[in-house]
C-alpha cells in the first residue's frame, strides 16, 4: 500500500483510467470494507458464546459492530491511495462523517439495551466501584460522543483547526483502545483461544494502521524534502507557492489532484494541510499550490521565506480529467479558490494542446478577486475554451451574470452542446450541492459529475 | 448527490451490522425460546433461616454479584445462578464464592483471582450468602 508514496517520478507517467475501472474497483473496496466490519460478528458464528437471552446477545453484537466501524475510521482517513482512488476524497470524508454517526448509534444502542434490560449487569457507574472494563466502556462511549460533537460543531465551538485535528486523533485512539479493553475485559465474546487470537490479529491490524500514519509515513516524507522557491501573490487574497524537489520527488500528479502539505515543520508533527496542485501536470517535478488566506495556517503562507523546507504527501484524489480520457469535453465550475485545481487542469490541457471543447464557469465576489483572470484570458487563445464569470458584487458596467452559482445562473450558462461533457465542481459545500442539483435536473448522470470540496470540517 | 452515495453505503453497513446481530441473537437463543428460562422466583426461605437468607440476598446485590451473575433474569445473564442451590451443597457453594476448591480448578485464573477477594468477607456474611444461594433451586 505504501510503495506508491516513494520512488522516482521518471518514466512513471500515470495511466489514464476510465469510469468503468473506477466503478469496478469501487465495488471491490466497498466489499472489503463490509467484510472488515462484519468480521467480529462473523466470529460469533459458533462456539461457547451467546445463548444469554435475545436482547443481551443482540446488544453485545451491536456493540461489536459499532466498534468495528469506529476502528475502520482510521483506515478511511489514512490516505491509502489505492483504496481511496476509485471514490474521490469527498466521498471518503462524507463516508467518514456518516460512519461515525452510525458507529456511535450502534454503540449507544448497545449501552441503552443493557441499561434498560440488565441494569444490574452494568454494575455501579462510579468508576471507584465499577469493574474497570465497564468504566472503559463508559469512557469510550463518552469520548465517541465528544468526537462527534467537536467535529460537527468545530466552528460553533471556535476550535482552531490544528488543535481540533490533534485532539481528534488523540481522542479517537483513546476511544478505540478503551473499547478494545472493554471488550476483552468484559470477556463475553472472547472466551476461547482461537477467538482471542482472531481478536488480537484484528487489533494488530489497527495498530499497524496507526504506526503507518504516525511513524512510517512521516519517515517516508522526511526522506523527500522540497524547498520553497517562490511565493507569489494572486488576486483575491491568495498566494501561489512553488516547491522544487531536493532529493527525489513524489509520483507525478494528475491535473486536479491534491497533496497534504507540511511547511517549515517536521512531518512527525502532524501539521499538514490539504491543497490542490494548481500548476500544469506537464511541468513537473516543480509543484505549485495556490492557497487563499482563509484560516490560521493559510494566513501565514504569504510570509513563507524562499528556501523554507516543505514536505508533500501526495498526490491524492480522483478529481482529474485524466480519469475521463474518453470524455467529449469538460465543464469546470469553480467558486473562489476552487479555481486552483481547475487552473491545473486548464494549464495541463493547454500544454497537451488538447482541442476538446471546454467551458469554465467561475464564481467570485468581486471582479478584482477573480484569481488568474489574466492568465485565463491568455489560455483562451491556446484552448477551445469558453469562460463565464459570475460576480456577487459586480461593478456598475457589468454585463455578465451575477449572484451565487444557483440554478438560474448555471442553467443558461451551459449550452446544449455540453450535455455529454464531464463536469468538475470545486467550491464551498453549499455551491457544490446546489450545482449538483442543477446538473442532475439537467439530466447529467452522477458519474459525469466530479466534485472537490474544501473546508470540510 | 455524491454525499448520498456515501450515506447509502453507511446505511447498508448499518443494516448489515443490525441484521447480523439479530441473526446471532436469534440463532443462539432458539433453544431457550422453545423452553422459556426459569421464572426464577427463589423459593421462599423457611422460618429460622428467613433472616439470614434475606441478608444474603441483600449482600448478593451489594457485593455486585449481578455484574457477572443473574437470578430470575436480573443481572448478567451469562452466568445464571437460578439452580445453583440444587447443584451444590453449602461447602461447595462457599468454594464457588471464594474461588477455592472445585471452583479454583474449573474457572479461569483471572476469575478465580477476582473471586478470592470475597474470601475476606466476614464469616457471617459468607454464611448468609451461602444460605441465600442454597434457596435457588430452579423452577419447581
Amino acid at each position: 500500500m505504501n510503495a506508491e508514496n516513494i520512488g522516482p517520478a521518471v518514466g512513471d507517467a500515470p495511466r489514464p483510467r476510465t469510469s468503468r475501472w473506477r466503478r469496478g474497483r469501487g465495488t471491490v473496496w466497498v466489499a472489503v470494507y463490509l467484510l472488515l466490519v462484519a468480521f467480529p460478528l462473523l466470529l460469533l458464528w459458533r462456539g461457547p458464546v451467546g445463548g444469554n437471552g435475545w436482547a443481551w446477545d443482540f446488544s453485545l453484537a451491536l456493540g461489536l459492530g459499532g466498534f468495528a466501524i469506529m476502528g475502520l475510521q482510521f483506515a478511511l482517513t489514512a490516505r491509502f491511495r489505492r483504496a481511496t482512488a476509485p471514490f474521490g476524497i469527498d466521498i471518503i470524508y462524507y463516508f467518514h462523517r456518516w460512519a461515525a454517526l452510525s458507529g456511535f448509534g450502534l454503540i449507544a444502542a448497545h449501552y441503552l439495551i443493557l441499561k434498560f434490560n440488565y441494569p444490574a449487569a452494568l454494575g455501579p457507574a462510579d468508576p471507584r466501584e465499577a469493574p474497570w472494563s465497564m468504566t472503559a466502556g463508559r469512557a469510550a462511549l463518552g469520548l465517541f460522543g465528544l468526537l462527534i460533537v467537536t467535529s460537527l460543531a468545530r466552528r460553533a465551538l471556535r476550535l482552531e483547526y490544528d488543535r481540533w485535528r490533534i485532539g481528534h486523533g488523540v481522542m479517537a485512539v483513546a476511544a478505540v483502545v478503551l473499547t478494545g479493553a472493554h471488550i476483552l475485559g468484559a470477556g463475553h465474546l472472547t472466551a476461547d483461544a482461537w477467538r482471542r487470537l482472531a481478536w488480537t490479529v484484528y487489533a494488530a491490524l489497527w495498530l499497524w494502521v496507526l504506526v503507518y500514519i504516525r511513524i512510517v509515513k512521516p519517515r517516508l516524507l522526511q526522506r523527500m524534502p522540497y524547498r520553497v522557491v517562490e511565493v507569489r501573490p494572486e488576486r483575491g487574497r491568495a498566494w501561489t507557492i512553488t516547491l522544487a524537489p531536493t532529493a527525489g520527488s513524489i509520483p507525478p500528479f494528475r491535473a486536479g489532484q491534491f497533496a497534504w502539505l507540511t511547511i517549515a515543520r517536521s512531518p512527525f508533527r502532524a501539521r499538514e494541510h490539504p491543497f490542490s496542485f494548481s500548476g500544469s501536470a506537464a511541468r513537473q517535478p516543480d509543484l505549485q499550490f495556490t492557497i487563499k488566506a482563509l484560516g490560521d495556517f493559510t494566513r501565514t503562507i504569504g510570509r513563507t521565506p524562499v528556501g523554507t523546507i516543505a514536505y508533500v504527501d501526495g498526490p491524492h484524489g480522483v478529481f482529474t480529467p485524466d480519469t475521463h480520457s474518453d470524455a467529449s469535453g469538460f465543464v469546470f465550475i469553480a467558486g473562489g479558490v476552487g479555481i486552483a485545481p481547475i487552473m491545473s487542469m486548464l494549464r495541463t490541457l493547454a500544454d497537451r494542446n488538447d482541442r476538446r471543447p471546454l467551458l469554465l464557469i467561475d464564481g467570485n465576489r468581486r471582479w478584482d478577486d477573480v484569481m488568474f483572470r489574466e492568465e485565463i484570458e491568455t489560455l483562451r487563445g491556446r484552448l477551445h475554451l469558453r469562460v463565464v464569470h459570475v460576480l456577487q458584487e459586480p461593478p456598475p458596467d457589468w454585463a455578465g451574470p451575477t449572484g451565487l452559482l444557483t440554478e438560474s445562473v448555471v442553467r443558461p450558462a451551459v449550452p446544449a452542446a455540453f450535455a455529454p461533457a464531464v463536469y468538475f465542481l470545486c467550491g464551498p459545500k453549499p455551491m457544490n450541492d446546489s450545482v449538483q442539483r442543477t446538473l442532475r435536473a439537467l439530466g447529467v448522470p452522477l458519474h459525469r459529475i466530479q466534485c472537490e470540496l474544501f473546508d470540510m470540517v | 448527490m455524491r454525499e448520498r452515495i456515501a450515506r447509502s453505503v453507511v446505511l447498508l453497513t448499518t443494516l448489515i451490522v443490525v441484521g447480523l446481530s439479530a441473526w446471532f441473537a436469534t440463532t443462539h437463543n432458539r433453544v431457550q425460546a422453545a423452553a422459556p428460562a426459569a421464572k426464577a422466583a427463589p423459593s421462599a426461605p423457611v422460618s429460622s433461616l428467613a433472616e439470614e437468607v434475606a441478608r444474603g440476598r441483600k449482600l448478593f446485590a451489594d457485593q455486585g454479584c449481578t455484574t457477572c451473575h443473574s437470578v430470575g433474569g436480573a443481572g448478567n445473564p451469562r452466568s445464571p445462578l437460578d439452580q445453583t442451590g440444587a447443584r451444590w451443597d453449602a461447602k461447595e457453594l462457599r468454594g464457588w464464592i471464594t474461588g477455592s476448591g472445585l471452583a479454583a480448578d474449573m474457572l479461569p485464573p483471572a476469575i478465580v483471582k477476582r473471586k478470592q477477594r470475597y474470601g475476606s468477607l466476614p464469616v457471617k456474611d459468607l454464611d448468609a450468602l451461602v444460605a441465600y444461594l442454597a434457596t435457588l433451586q430452579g423452577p419447581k
Side-chain angles (χ1 to χ4, degrees):
Chain A
M1 257 185 231
N2 55 8
E4 294 179 325
N5 298 326
I6 49 172
V10 187
D12 193 15
R15 272 179 295 144
R17 278 161 181 178
T18 61
S19 31
R20 209 172 137 194
W21 173 87
R22 288 176 51 191
R23 276 203 292 276
R25 279 299 180 91
T27 312
V28 170
W29 282 110
V30 168
V32 168
Y33 176 83
L34 292 176
L35 204 65
L36 283 170
V37 168
F39 176 79
L41 294 166
L42 296 175
L43 279 182
L44 303 174
W45 182 256
R46 267 166 188 271
V49 290
N52 298 313
W54 199 91
W56 177 269
D57 288 346
F58 180 63
S59 149
L60 261 55
L62 285 186
L64 283 182
F67 169 66
I69 289 177
M70 289 309 204
L72 274 160
Q73 295 283 68
F74 290 107
L76 280 180
T77 51
R79 302 178 221 146
F80 294 126
R81 245 176 295 156
R82 211 168 280 230
T84 55
F87 304 99
I89 211 75
D90 61 325
I91 288 192
I92 298 288
Y93 276 83
Y94 284 136
F95 192 84
H96 182 74
R97 185 179 282 198
W98 283 102
L101 291 171
S102 159
F104 180 74
L106 291 168
I107 292 172
H110 156 74
Y111 174 71
L112 290 174
I113 290 173
L114 290 184
K115 195 170 169 56
F116 185 71
N117 289 292
Y118 309 93
L122 292 181
D126 185 341
R128 287 168 302 181
E129 293 170 27
W132 64 266
S133 61
M134 294 297 148
T135 304
R138 287 191 180 94
L141 181 65
L143 275 177
F144 282 131
L146 196 61
L147 277 163
I148 289 177
V149 170
T150 50
S151 303
L152 296 182
R154 179 180 77 84
R155 290 240 169 69
L157 295 168
R158 298 192 181 170
L159 292 170
E160 187 251 325
Y161 176 82
D162 279 322
R163 278 199 192 158
W164 166 80
R165 196 157 164 252
I166 290 168
H168 194 78
V170 171
M171 283 201 291
V173 171
V176 169
V177 168
L178 284 168
T179 313
H182 168 70
I183 293 170
L184 289 172
H188 298 306
L189 301 173
T190 50
D192 48 359
W194 75 269
R195 277 193 181 84
R196 269 199 297 277
L197 177 72
W199 273 103
T200 310
V201 171
Y202 197 65
L205 193 72
W206 299 136
L207 196 67
W208 177 81
V209 171
L210 212 65
V211 168
Y212 174 77
I213 300 171
R214 290 281 161 248
I215 298 168
V216 178
K217 198 152 196 182
R219 272 196 80 90
L220 294 172
L221 292 182
Q222 212 169 26
R223 285 191 207 156
M224 214 186 292
Y226 278 72
R227 203 166 53 85
V228 175
V229 292
E230 190 191 12
V231 182
R232 192 177 64 227
E234 304 285 358
R235 290 181 176 278
R237 287 189 301 124
W239 300 85
T240 293
I241 188 161
T242 306
L243 308 179
T246 61
S249 51
I250 60 166
F253 70 88
R254 297 187 177 98
Q257 286 190 300
F258 72 94
W260 291 77
L261 200 57
T262 307
I263 298 178
R265 281 176 192 274
S266 157
F268 288 96
R269 294 284 297 276
R271 298 296 283 262
E272 70 272 40
H273 296 79
F275 295 111
S276 294
F277 297 102
S278 56
S280 167
R283 300 186 189 196
Q284 304 188 48
D286 280 12
L287 307 174
Q288 286 186 351
F289 299 89
T290 300
I291 299 165
K292 191 176 169 81
L294 285 170
D296 297 319
F297 170 74
T298 48
R299 260 195 290 276
T300 65
I301 285 291
R303 297 196 293 271
T304 309
V306 167
T308 305
I309 294 297
Y311 300 96
V312 183
D313 171 8
H316 290 287
V318 289
F319 186 69
T320 169
D322 290 6
T323 48
H324 301 273
S325 43
D326 46 356
S328 61
F330 297 111
V331 177
F332 307 107
I333 303 176
V337 73
I339 192 71
I342 287 167
M343 272 315 282
S344 173
M345 297 180 195
L346 293 173
R347 286 164 168 164
T348 307
L349 292 170
D351 284 343
R352 287 180 190 161
N353 292 319
D354 198 295
R355 295 308 297 167
R356 283 178 284 186
L358 310 173
L359 169 65
L360 168 65
I361 303 174
D362 188 12
N364 285 283
R365 186 173 292 278
R366 284 178 289 267
W367 183 235
D368 281 341
D369 294 343
V370 181
M371 271 175 237
F372 307 111
R373 191 175 92 186
E374 293 79 4
E375 189 180 344
I376 289 170
E377 264 320 290
T378 316
L379 283 169
R380 284 180 64 184
R382 298 172 60 198
L383 290 163
H384 190 22
L385 171 66
R386 182 173 172 161
V387 181
V388 179
H389 287 292
V390 182
L391 297 177
Q392 286 173 50
E393 295 170 19
D397 56 344
W398 181 253
T402 59
L404 294 166
L405 296 181
T406 53
E407 183 169 358
S408 58
V409 171
V410 173
R411 203 181 259 267
V414 182
F418 280 97
V422 174
Y423 290 72
F424 288 91
L425 279 50
C426 187
K429 191 170 181 294
M431 182 211 103
N432 275 7
D433 288 347
S434 141
V435 175
Q436 276 185 69
R437 275 194 300 274
T438 306
L439 295 178
R440 295 290 285 153
L442 284 170
V444 180
L446 208 51
H447 69 269
R448 283 205 273 115
I449 304 174
Q450 299 301 312
C451 288
E452 192 72 294
L453 288 173
F454 49 86
D455 246 9
M456 264 301 281
V457 183
Chain B
M1 294 291 173
R2 286 167 64 82
E3 186 169 4
R4 201 178 291 168
I5 298 176
R7 227 162 33 197
S8 310
V9 181
V10 170
L11 186 67
L12 177 68
T13 312
T14 314
L15 289 176
I16 287 177
V17 168
V18 173
L20 282 174
S21 301
W23 160 81
F24 165 67
T26 306
T27 53
H28 285 71
N29 289 286
R30 218 170 261 153
V31 182
Q32 290 196 351
K39 275 275 183 277
S43 55
V46 281
S47 56
S48 62
L49 284 174
E51 246 175 53
E52 191 163 27
V53 169
R55 220 165 60 77
R57 183 183 288 130
K58 188 169 178 306
L59 275 164
F60 187 80
D62 293 348
Q63 291 294 324
C65 303
T66 48
T67 309
C68 301
H69 297 285
S70 66
V71 172
N76 188 333
R78 191 174 170 229
S79 306
L81 296 178
D82 298 296
Q83 299 179 48
T84 198
R87 291 179 68 189
W88 312 107
D89 63 24
K91 191 178 165 215
E92 288 162 336
L93 282 173
R94 186 181 294 261
W96 282 107
I97 297 171
T98 57
S100 55
L102 192 62
D105 299 330
M106 289 179 69
L107 292 171
I111 307 281
V112 172
K113 211 173 151 195
R114 200 184 292 179
K115 281 179 168 281
Q116 280 170 347
R117 289 201 303 247
Y118 297 108
S120 61
L121 284 174
V123 178
K124 269 177 66 184
D125 287 357
L126 280 173
D127 288 343
L129 271 172
V130 169
Y132 167 60
L133 293 177
T135 66
L136 305 178
Q137 299 282 334
K140 295 282 174 209

